[in-house]
Amino acid sequence: LNLTGRPAGAEYWVQFRSPSQPFTERGMDWHFDKDEDLLDEQDLTIAPAISTVTYLSSAGWPLLVLSEPSLATVAEQRGMSTLAPLSGGSVSVFAVFPKLGRHVAFSGNLFHGCPLELGACSGERWSLVVNLWCGHRPLGMRRATAKKGGQQPEVATALAAEQHNNDFLEGETLKPLVEVIPERVPASGSRFPVGFGPWSIGGLR
């Protein structure tokens, strides 16, 4: 990213999913990351430069990221759809399963979610989500203030929960898990549809 002379920052939050929650709340609907307030107030859709997820546990539904559709730039949206033109070809799906320390980053304009159609998953799913913004500051975003000990309370809560589950050893530092991801894996036999607004993908395998 070229950050010269451009404002840059990050928004973050901790996501928690558990089998104790109602079934419909255990996953995450298909969506685009975007400035939600800007969409509500000005009907413009701006995505972060990069979206990231770092898993703080090894349980729960995987994150799925699709190669298409993607959000159009602001310039492209004027007079046309919010979505960038589709290629007309097949759509690739990238699945990232929860594992303590696993980190994934992808283009912020890509479609993603944690669909419940993948079936039941046991255990609590903790993840730290960080969106990186370049050249745009989301409306309503405020600067974070440092807390004593250097951790924000939400992150500290998640780490404490993991220590309670014995996933962390006392005094151990969480290190990113570096892995080589294969270019292609065989499709499974199961299919499920992907729908969003007026369009849909016939089925992922």
Side-chain angles (χ1 to χ4, degrees):
L1 294 175
N2 181 10
L3 301 180
T4 304
R6 306 178 68 191
E11 60 174 338
Y12 66 92
W13 62 95
V14 170
Q15 281 186 345
F16 171 71
R17 298 292 187 271
S18 168
S20 63
Q21 294 173 314
F23 183 77
T24 55
E25 298 178 8
R26 298 178 196 173
M28 183 170 56
D29 291 338
W30 292 102
H31 67 283
F32 292 103
D33 290 341
K34 54 191 176 296
D35 184 339
E36 299 286 354
D37 291 335
L38 183 66
L39 177 62
D40 292 339
E41 295 183 16
Q42 302 181 28
D43 200 28
L44 287 176
T45 305
I46 296 182
I50 299 174
S51 298
T52 77
V53 174
T54 302
Y55 287 115
L56 305 178
S57 68
S58 301
W61 274 263
L63 169 70
L64 299 187
V65 183
L66 305 187
S67 59
E68 291 186 280
S70 62
L71 289 176
T73 65
V74 174
E76 292 172 335
Q77 290 179 43
R78 300 188 185 282
M80 62 164 286
S81 170
T82 302
L83 300 179
L86 299 176
S87 67
S90 60
V91 174
S92 297
V93 56
F94 302 88
V96 185
F97 287 81
K99 188 172 184 179
L100 179 64
R102 179 171 286 165
H103 174 79
V104 58
F106 54 95
S107 179
N109 66 340
L110 293 180
F111 198 50
H112 58 284
C114 299
L116 295 173
E117 290 87 349
L118 290 175
C121 293
S122 60
E124 295 182 345
R125 183 185 190 275
W126 287 91
S127 59
L128 173 64
V129 184
V130 181
N131 285 345
L132 306 180
W133 294 86
C134 178
H136 174 75
R137 179 176 178 174
L139 301 182
M141 180 181 290
R142 62 184 185 276
R143 186 180 299 274
T145 56
K147 301 294 182 181
K148 184 178 180 181
Q151 289 181 345
Q152 294 296 323
E154 304 97 322
V155 179
T157 300
L159 296 181
E162 283 309 309
Q163 289 170 342
H164 177 72
N165 291 333
N166 297 320
D167 283 333
F168 284 138
L169 298 177
E170 185 175 356
E172 182 180 6
T173 301
L174 177 63
K175 298 178 181 179
L177 181 64
V178 179
E179 300 171 292
V180 177
I181 301 176
E183 293 184 358
R184 185 178 297 273
V185 296
S188 69
S190 60
R191 283 178 173 264
F192 60 90
V194 179
F196 182 75
W199 57 265
S200 65
I201 298 174
L204 297 178
R205 290 192 297 164

